[in-house]
Structure formats: structure tokens, C-alpha cells
Amino acid sequence: MERHWLINLLELLVPLLWLGCTACVDLDGQDRRAWLQETLIEDNLALLARDPATTGGKFLKMGSSPYNLFRGTVGQFVRDSAQRGPGYLPTRFGSVEGSRVLLVGDPHLENLGTFRAASGELLVDFNDFDASGYGPWILDVRRLALSVWLTAALLPEDGVDAVSPGELAASVARGYADEVSAETDGSPPLRVRAGEHGAILDDLFERAEANGDADTALSDYTRVVGGRRVMVFGELEAGPVEGVDGDVVRAPPVEEQRLVEAHLAQVGATLIASIPQDQLAVKGVSRRLGAGVSSYPLWRYYVLVEGPTQAPDDDWLLEVKETSDPPRRPGLAVHPGRQFASNGARVVSSQRALQERPDADPLLGCLDLGRLSFRVRERTSYQRGLAVDRIVERVGDGRWSVADLQELATIAGRLLARAHLNAPTLHGGDALLIVAADLGGDRDGLAEETTRFVEVYGPQLLTDHQLLNALLADEGPTLGYRP
Amino acid sequence: MSQLAILTRLHRHGGPARLTTALALLGGLCAGWTATATAQDAEPPPTPPLPAGATAASAPEMVVEGELFGGLDAVFTDAEDFNAFEVQRAELGGLMLWDARHVGGEVRLEAVRSAGSGSLLGIDGDSLVMRLKRAWGYASVPLAPVRIDLRLGLVPDVWIEAVQSSFELRGLGPTLSESGGFFDTSDLGGSVRVDVLDGLATAQVAVTNGEGRNLREQNAGKNTTVTVTLRPWRLTLGGEEAGLWLHGVYRDGSTSVASVIDNRIGGAVAWTSAWVDAGVELVRANGYAGREVDATGLGAWANGYLVRPWLGAVVRYDHLNPDTKLADADRQTLTAGLYTDLVLPALPPDPRQFRLYLVVQDESAGAGAGPIPGRPEVADLTRLMLTLAVGGRWRSAPDDAPEHRRD
């Protein structure tokens, strides 16, 4: 019987297809640089389209130091942790319910800071919830530990006690497990106050108290002219590198100013305590440039409002900061997928739930300007954040010790656990029970696993920093983005 | 049904007589163009005489097509039970056909969530909004026994289109080629389709940006995709058409600003008939999800009537390995259930256009594939889906040939 011509054709095609298949799959390894370029552009696509110059400034700022790179790459960290990237190291500590815990999202040393609560008490807590959302608690532990590893890795080698960065980072895990154990045993949740938790936090408390009492934020960004407080405009501090703003405040266009003024009234309804609307009467608006790393290109306004009396001394300075989407956690399907009405509402709700007390910032609220969502907080010098540069400098010159850094890492880990345990899970579950069950009392196991993680992923951060600078040199500040 | 299937069907319905007419018309048009070119400064040339029977075919025609997949999805995990009504697909498109269907174009809209996955920033919250899915013009050249179609614009992906021509379960979700992120359903570019011997063999070549329908071009490179479809065995069973489909694809591509490699190679085999359909597709990627890794996808499906048309059964299996160099990095989805075709006197003759599915879907991941490394159970979920799949089509001119199921 004569063979059909199709059979003959298939006999020819199949080996060719197989050859094509093998020929097209012989690439080795991942091109990390290309991946970094692609994902940074993807994460910042809307901002690049809106304001390429300022978004390019963000990338330049990220390139100015490894810690700034770390601060600007939470999206890459999440991808690497969930998608078989270099951060995809198996954990023994997780469960389905444990992946519905309310996360800080981007916990790291520079996101720890002081607050003055409504009662006047000064306390330390996490202060940035832009990346908050529901997810696996182990991700937060690893992110915080990574920041400690990086801080330790930046210390000068000479004159520093012989404690490895990995061991320092493990203190975060031990602190986390200790807080879970303590609360399981009925101890009250951790409260961080001055004079109790080592030299580094005491230094932070002292500076916050001194600057807060002197009201330096108000005096830096406003001044009293003819008995009336007005906004200050200009460059207050130079940027870290060329093309990056330092501390700059500019007068916004009149239309923008009116828009902010018109919408600020919304914030009253979102505050934790009722405040008479006339105390929120706007007296001045400035556009702040240069703040933050991840949020560098986002719009940020300083708004001067009346405060308790008409006297200029008790005016409030509010920061109205645009909020963006949190990093997507690939593969994690939580239901419902959308839990908040807006990003501003998400950030405010998370901050109140995760902090020691919901009134840590009595002027915390949110507002919407059209499709954009903003978080409002008091811009007071009582709110002061940790600075890794200062830690590196002071540990390096011997004013602080590695033991001080280790104590800070432990407290940071405890604070993170307290934050997680404070808030109900996505479906209202008791986070303490869920996290404690995931942990199973294995403090050393968590520490060991965390050390392993930072020792694998930490060096990747340093490599990524070099890759970013190579990209900036080759592609320019916008990394080759095409409008 | 894809717009290409409609076009092909429209072309085929004429059969040899129509083909002869079209060729004659093409000859007449060529003569007309020649006359125009040589005498453009003189009097307008006389309109070439139309061949007998060409008048009706030359009139402009319009085809309006819509699809709607909607229903209730209930999701069950160890942490939550959640259910929601969803609109998985809402599409409306129109084809304009001129010149005996030799030139034309399509505009097709689709509904999408405005905020996208994981985003809180959308239009008026997270509204469903319409956007362009396809927008292209075409010209067709019949040169018996070959027909050549040229398309330009926001064109359908030639591989998705080819496989879906032998895939009836779109109401339950796209093929793995699409759902697994191997191919996007449309892209900006152009394509050429060559049909030989009344669809016995079809080859398509597309050159596109490679960024899909969501993004502008990000790099200078272009994706080149070649597909081949063979229908080696077509027969009539109980008076109804049945047959075997063989599809193959190769793509040379790149994506993103960094020009990350984005190559594909794949094949599919499908059997279609009035009673039972089945198929399997295998795709291999070199460059996947923006990373220079190799990935594979295997999709298999089967469906058939138990009591036609009132009750049918369906089973689907999708297996995705996003990085072949890693152990246990695979994810799989198993779907099984029943469907019924709603046949009412007022409805059009093809009952498959009003189908109700009730299926259970189970998703799971390998030890190294879940969103939490080492805890694959976090990705496990079971879904119960009740989906109504509705499709409809209206033509300005009556069809003059019997309905083919797929072409």
C-alpha cells in the first residue's frame, strides 16, 4: 500500500522539530541583570510614564548605596522569595493559614522609628506600611533579617567584634520566636520605651525627644512671618548624588495647591479620634521632593494646618503622601483578592493594626485625590527613624558595639512578632495561635534557617547593587525605559 | 469561535463556484487597477464588468460576534471558603467584509478588570472596562488551490488561534498555552496565512512586537512565530463532520526592555467530532516570565456527550513547569465536570453556543513551586465553577452554505 504523503512529511518534520527544540533550550543560567532591569521597569512603569526624570532619580538613589538598593527592591525580594529566585530557600515554618497574616510588608531597620502617642508617650515601632498586606509571616522575618545582615556587611572589617552578619541576622529570628513564646505564655505584648533596649534605640529616643521638643520639623519647613506661620521653599539639604534631590520643598502650582486644600477635609473622617474641622484648616502647602527611596517619585506634600488654636506655635504640619500598590506576592491566591478600598485605606488600616497602639500617630488618616490615594500623618520631629549610616559609622568607630547591633536586631525581631500577633489574620483568625503553631517552639530552627537564607540571598543584594550601577551607566537613569 | 474561523467559513461556503467567481473578480479588479494606473490623468476608467454571480458577493457584509462567560466561582482552601460571581469573558466584535470578502477588518473589544491583579488602582474602584483586544485589517488572495490572507494591526496570536480552532472548552478557561503565560492572545504586528487544499494544510507566519496587547514595544526586536496546521484525516460520522488536527509552532522572540529571550516550540494533536473531542498540547519555552529559564507546559482535554445535547462530561489536565532545571517546580490543574447545552426553540441552531458547565477544579503545586518555598500546600485549592458560556453571531448577509462546525 502506498504511503500517504503526509506520513512522509511528518517523518521529516518530527526530527526537525526535535532538533529545533534542543537548539533553543541550551542557554545556561539566568541573566540577572536583564531580569533586574525588566522588573524594576515593570514595578515603576506608571511612575516612569508620569515622571521619568524623578523616577530615574529613584534608580540613581538606589544605586548610591547597597542599603538604598535594598530599600528600593522589595518587589524583587518578593519575587525572588516566591518564584524560584535566589531567595527561594525552603522553609519549615509556614502553613495555609500562616500565609494570611497581616504583614508589615517591608520591615527593615530604617523603617523603625519613634512615635509620640496621643498620651504623650514616646515609643518605637515600625513606621512604614506602604507594602503591607496579607501573606506568609516568614517573608517579613526574612526581609528584616536581611536588613540586619546588610547593615553588618557594611561595617568596616577592622575594629569590629568577630560576629558574622549571618549570626547577627539570626538574632531577628530568635527575637521573633521569643516574642511568640512570651505571648503564648501570657506575657503582655512588647512595648519599646527609652532606657530599656540598648544604646542604639536610646540614641534614637534622645534625638526624637530633643528634636520633638524643639519642633524642628515645623521650624525647618515653615517659619513665622508677621505673627503668621507660612511655608518655607527651597533646598534644605543637598542630594546624595547628582541627579537626586536631598531635602527640597517647592511651591506647588496653584491648581495643585487648591486640589490638596479642597480634599484635605476628607482626612477628618479617617482619623482615629474626632478632631474639629477648623483645626484642619489649611494655612499652606509645599511639595516635598527627595524623601524616601522606594517612594521617592511618589507625590508628597507638606500641609500646614491650624492645629488646636489660632496661635502659630501649635500649628500642625501634615505629610500627605501618595500611596501605591503593594508588591504582588506571586502564586499566593488569597480570597478575596481585594481587601481594601484604596491604598491609603490599606496603609492606614495596617498601621493601626500592626503598631503597639492605634493612636501612635493621632493624625494618621487618608484621602483620595481622584484616582490617587494618599496617606496623611503628622510630620513631627517626635517621629524619627533609625539611620543605617549612623549605625555603621558608630559601630565602626567603636562608639557602639556589635552587641548593641545584636540587641537592636533582637528587639526588631520581637517587634515584628508583636506586630504580626497584634492583628487578626485575613479571616479574623488569632495570629498568635496560627504563628505559634507554624513555629512549633523551634526557636533555633528558625534562627538556623534565617541564617542560611541571609547568607545565600545577602550577597545577591551586593551583586544586584553592582548590576544596577552597571545598568545606570549603560542605559541611563531610566534604565532604558521607552515611553 | 475565532474571527478567522468565521472568515474561513465564509470563504469556504462558496465552494469551487465561489472560488471561481472570486478569481474572476480578482482578475477584474486587477484589470481595473491597471486601467487606473495607466489612465489616471484621463477620464475615469469604466468599471470592469462583474462576472455573473458576483454582485451579491461584492456587497459589503458585516458580521457581529459576541461571547460571554459568566457564573459563580467557589474557592475552597484550608484557610478559607470564598465564592463570587464572575464574568470571565465578555467580548464584542465586528468584521466588515468588502469585495467578495477579499478585504476587511475586525475590531473586537473585551472586558478586563481595570485595576489588574493585586492592584488597588483602577477605574472607579476596580470596574470592568472594555478595551481593544483585536483591531486589524486583512486582504485575501485566492490562488486555487492556495489561499493567502494578510493581516496587519493588533492581530490574534497565530498559535492560540490555531489550537483554539480545535478546542471547544474555552468557556472553562483558555488553553495552557495562554493561561500558562506562554503566548498572549493578541499582539501588534502582521501575519500571513496560507491555506492549501481547502484547509488540508495551513501555515501562518506572524511578525509582532512581542509585548502582547498590554504594552507598547519595549525593544527593537520582533517576535516571529510560525505555525503549521494539518488536517490529515477528515471524515463524516453519522452525517456529521469529524477529523484529526495536528498543530505545530515555533517562535523566535524577545520581551521587555532587556530583550529577554522568549522562544517557544510546541505541538498539539486534537480530535473533533459532533460527539467527542479530545486533544493534547505541549509547549516548551526558552525564556519564560522574563527570566532566561526553560519552561514546559502540557495541556490535555477531553469532552463528549453522554446524552446529546442534554448532558456531557469534560475533563482537563494542565501541567506547568516554570523552570525545568529545578526539581519539583511543577504546578498542575485538574478539572472535571458536566455540561449541558441549552437547546430552546428560540435559540440558533448550534446548541454549543449556549452551554452551562458545572465543574470541580483542583490546583496543586510541587514541593518547589508554591509561593512559600518548602510549603507547597499553600498553593492548593479546590474550585467549584458554574459557568454559562454564551456565544452569538449575526451576519448582514445570509449564509449560503451549510454550517461547518470549525474551520
Side-chain angles (χ1 to χ4, degrees):
Chain A
M1 183 177 156
E2 190 180 347
R3 278 157 63 99
H4 195 284
W5 64 270
L6 263 174
I7 303 290
N8 296 327
L9 182 64
L10 281 174
E11 280 183 355
L12 178 69
L13 277 178
V14 167
L16 283 176
L17 282 173
W18 178 249
L19 277 175
C21 182
T22 49
C24 78
V25 295
D26 61 354
L27 277 178
D28 283 329
Q30 301 169 2
D31 187 346
R32 181 75 178 181
R33 177 183 144 134
W35 178 83
L36 197 63
Q37 182 185 16
E38 185 207 342
T39 54
L40 283 172
I41 288 175
E42 182 185 336
D43 290 352
N44 293 277
L45 201 57
L47 295 169
L48 280 164
R50 183 175 82 183
D51 187 351
T54 308
T55 310
K58 169 181 175 172
F59 296 141
L60 287 170
K61 193 169 187 179
M62 287 166 59
S64 67
S65 78
Y67 204 88
N68 280 345
L69 179 280
F70 167 78
R71 288 183 58 169
T73 51
V74 66
Q76 285 63 36
F77 166 82
V78 171
R79 284 184 185 87
D80 279 335
S81 300
Q83 286 185 323
R84 299 302 298 254
Y88 197 85
L89 270 78
T91 179
R92 287 183 287 130
F93 305 100
S95 64
V96 179
E97 290 191 330
S99 62
R100 270 73 170 167
V101 170
L102 185 58
L103 305 183
V104 175
D106 189 16
H108 62 84
L109 291 183
E110 289 198 342
N111 278 348
L112 280 170
T114 52
F115 287 86
R116 190 176 66 155
S119 62
E121 261 187 312
L122 212 55
L123 56 95
V124 162
D125 216 324
F126 286 102
N127 61 10
D128 187 329
F129 299 87
D130 289 356
S132 63
Y134 293 96
W137 57 267
I138 191 73
L139 270 191
D140 263 5
V141 174
R142 289 181 170 185
R143 180 84 179 152
L144 180 59
L146 197 58
S147 78
V148 172
W149 182 94
L150 187 55
T151 305
L154 296 174
L155 293 173
E157 286 181 13
D158 55 329
V160 174
D161 305 344
V163 178
S164 74
E167 184 54 31
L168 278 171
S171 301
V172 169
R174 292 196 186 93
Y176 190 92
D178 289 345
E179 181 66 16
V180 174
S181 290
E183 291 196 32
T184 303
D185 293 342
S187 299
L190 175 70
R191 293 152 40 105
V192 179
R193 299 290 185 273
E196 298 173 0
H197 299 291
I200 299 177
L201 287 182
D202 281 349
D203 172 69
L204 184 66
F205 274 115
E206 281 167 22
R207 287 185 300 136
E209 191 144 11
N211 290 330
D213 289 346
D215 230 345
T216 51
L218 207 58
S219 57
D220 283 348
Y221 299 108
T222 66
R223 60 191 163 95
V224 178
V225 178
R228 179 177 165 76
R229 190 172 289 279
V230 295
M231 305 304 294
V232 164
F233 304 112
E235 185 181 61
L236 308 183
E237 190 180 308
V241 291
E242 194 179 339
V244 178
D245 288 320
D247 188 348
V248 177
V249 271
R250 297 206 191 289
V254 174
E255 301 79 17
E256 211 170 297
Q257 179 170 341
R258 286 189 183 145
L259 203 63
V260 174
E261 288 173 4
H263 287 75
L264 194 77
Q266 288 178 32
V267 80
T270 67
L271 300 177
I272 190 124
S274 173
I275 287 179
Q277 203 61 40
D278 57 355
Q279 294 186 13
L280 295 172
V282 177
K283 298 171 74 174
V285 178
S286 64
R287 172 89 186 276
R288 169 76 154 90
L289 302 171
V293 178
S294 199
S295 60
Y296 180 89
L298 296 175
W299 289 345
R300 195 185 302 246
Y301 300 95
Y302 286 167
V303 182
L304 184 67
V305 297
E306 187 64 78
T309 72
Q310 290 189 343
D313 296 343
D314 62 358
D315 289 350
W316 290 327
L317 186 65
L318 304 180
E319 181 190 73
V320 178
K321 179 185 152 192
E322 184 185 0
T323 52
S324 60
D325 290 330
R328 273 184 283 177
R329 298 178 174 89
L332 185 67
V334 295
H335 304 89
R338 183 186 166 98
Q339 299 104 16
F340 302 94
S342 68
N343 279 310
R346 173 180 59 80
V347 170
V348 169
S349 169
S350 298
Q351 178 163 343
R352 288 189 184 137
L354 291 164
Q355 286 191 327
E356 176 195 319
R357 44 193 300 169
D359 65 350
D361 182 350
L363 294 177
L364 177 70
C366 60
L367 60 87
D368 294 331
L369 285 177
R371 288 181 58 215
L372 301 181
S373 184
F374 291 77
R375 186 267 283 134
V376 180
R377 70 169 180 116
E378 185 178 10
R379 182 67 179 86
T380 162
S381 296
Y382 286 114
Q383 292 186 19
R384 187 167 197 96
L386 274 178
V388 162
D389 284 351
R390 187 177 174 87
I391 295 172
V392 170
E393 180 191 331
R394 291 194 158 217
V395 175
D397 66 19
R399 276 180 284 178
W400 291 337
S401 67
V402 170
D404 290 328
L405 180 53
Q406 194 155 17
E407 186 169 7
L408 173 67
T410 306
I411 291 302
R414 287 190 64 191
L415 265 178
L416 182 63
R418 197 227 54 217
H420 288 167
L421 309 182
N422 237 16
T425 64
L426 175 59
H427 300 292
D430 185 339
L432 174 57
L433 294 177
I434 291 165
V435 175
D438 283 357
L439 204 49
D442 190 359
R443 176 182 189 262
D444 291 340
L446 184 66
E448 184 191 334
E449 190 183 288
T450 304
T451 302
R452 202 163 59 244
F453 171 78
V454 295
E455 286 181 344
V456 170
Y457 193 69
Q460 182 66 56
L461 278 178
L462 300 177
T463 304
D464 285 353
H465 181 241
Q466 292 171 354
L467 291 175
L468 176 64
N469 278 310
L471 275 170
L472 289 167
D474 294 346
E475 305 280 357
T478 54
L479 306 182
Y481 160 74
R482 291 160 195 255
Chain B
M1 175 184 294
S2 73
Q3 83 302 328
L4 192 71
I6 296 174
L7 280 177
T8 311
R9 176 186 297 174
L10 289 171
H11 279 288
R12 287 232 184 94
H13 286 170
R18 177 67 60 84
L19 195 63
T20 309
T21 305
L23 279 171
L25 181 63
L26 184 69
L29 283 171
C30 288
W33 288 336
T34 307
T36 305
T38 52
Q40 53 186 335
D41 296 328
E43 291 291 321
T47 305
L50 283 173
T55 307
S58 302
E61 295 175 40
M62 187 172 185
V63 180
V64 179
E65 193 184 35
E67 271 187 310
L68 177 69
F69 304 156
L72 179 68
D73 279 9
V75 173
F76 308 95
T77 72
D78 281 355
E80 67 231 347
D81 296 342
F82 183 75
N83 58 76
F85 289 102
E86 297 284 356
V87 173
Q88 289 92 358
R89 171 179 272 207
E91 293 189 3
L92 184 64
L95 282 104
M96 285 299 297
L97 311 165
W98 290 276
D99 191 21
R101 298 165 180 167
H102 292 123
V103 293
E106 185 203 27
V107 173
R108 192 175 181 95
L109 305 174
E110 66 175 342
V112 291
R113 280 280 174 202
S114 54
S117 168
S119 174
L120 294 179
L121 192 69
I123 295 174
D124 192 16
D126 186 13
S127 301
L128 284 163
V129 295
M130 299 301 283
R131 68 159 175 189
L132 265 187
K133 181 178 184 180
R134 295 194 292 262
W136 50 275
Y138 86 98
S140 181
V141 183
L143 301 167
V146 174
R147 203 187 76 238
I148 301 171
D149 290 331
L150 308 165
R151 289 184 274 181
L152 198 63
L154 180 57
V155 296
D157 180 88
V158 290
W159 173 246
I160 299 286
E161 188 179 52
V163 176
Q164 289 199 0
S165 63
S166 53
F167 177 75
E168 194 177 83
L169 302 174
R170 185 57 184 84
L172 288 180
T175 58
L176 184 69
S177 289
E178 186 180 342
S179 67
F182 291 97
F183 294 86
D184 197 351
T185 186
S186 55
D187 198 359
L188 289 156
S191 65
V192 179
R193 173 185 168 118
V194 180
D195 263 321
V196 181
L197 295 173
D198 195 25
L200 178 66
T202 302
Q204 298 194 77
V205 179
V207 179
T208 60
N209 282 346
E211 310 298 335
R213 65 198 191 280
N214 297 340
L215 287 175
R216 300 177 191 192
E217 177 63 301
Q218 298 290 301
N219 58 62
K222 294 288 170 279
N223 280 15
T224 304
T225 310
V226 180
T227 67
V228 176
T229 294
L230 303 174
R231 300 198 60 189
W233 188 24
R234 282 192 278 190
L235 66 163
T236 302
L237 289 175
E240 296 179 281
E241 192 178 303
L244 183 68
W245 303 66
L246 305 173
H247 306 286
V249 63
Y250 177 76
R251 181 175 87 192
D252 175 75
S254 62
T255 187
S256 84
V257 173
S259 295
V260 177
I261 194 166
D262 207 23
N263 292 352
R264 303 287 183 267
I265 188 164
V269 180
W271 166 264
T272 60
S273 72
W275 279 86
V276 175
D277 286 8
V280 60
E281 62 170 329
L282 178 63
V283 182
R284 186 170 182 118
N286 175 216
Y288 180 74
R291 283 190 150 150
E292 292 193 351
V293 296
D294 301 331
T296 58
L298 169 70
W301 65 91
N303 63 286
Y305 286 107
L306 304 173
V307 183
R308 189 183 176 198
W310 301 109
L311 187 63
V314 58
V315 61
R316 284 185 65 176
Y317 174 74
D318 291 332
H319 182 275
L320 172 68
N321 187 341
D323 189 342
T324 55
K325 287 187 179 150
L326 302 172
D328 302 321
D330 53 326
R331 297 169 202 157
Q332 46 200 1
T333 305
L334 180 63
T335 307
L338 302 170
Y339 60 84
T340 182
D341 290 330
L342 307 176
V343 183
L344 300 172
L347 295 183
D350 186 352
R352 283 167 287 259
Q353 292 175 336
F354 295 83
R355 176 170 283 184
L356 186 67
Y357 294 96
L358 178 63
V359 299
V360 178
Q361 201 167 62
D362 185 73
E363 291 182 15
S364 59
I372 308 179
R375 313 302 302 185
E377 68 274 16
V378 172
D380 291 353
L381 67 82
T382 302
R383 180 179 286 120
L384 182 66
M385 296 167 62
L386 179 68
T387 301
L388 179 64
V390 177
R393 192 170 57 252
W394 172 85
R395 293 175 187 153
S396 62
D399 237 358
D400 50 0
E403 192 83 8
H404 288 276
R405 183 166 171 201
R406 295 183 197 85
D407 277 315

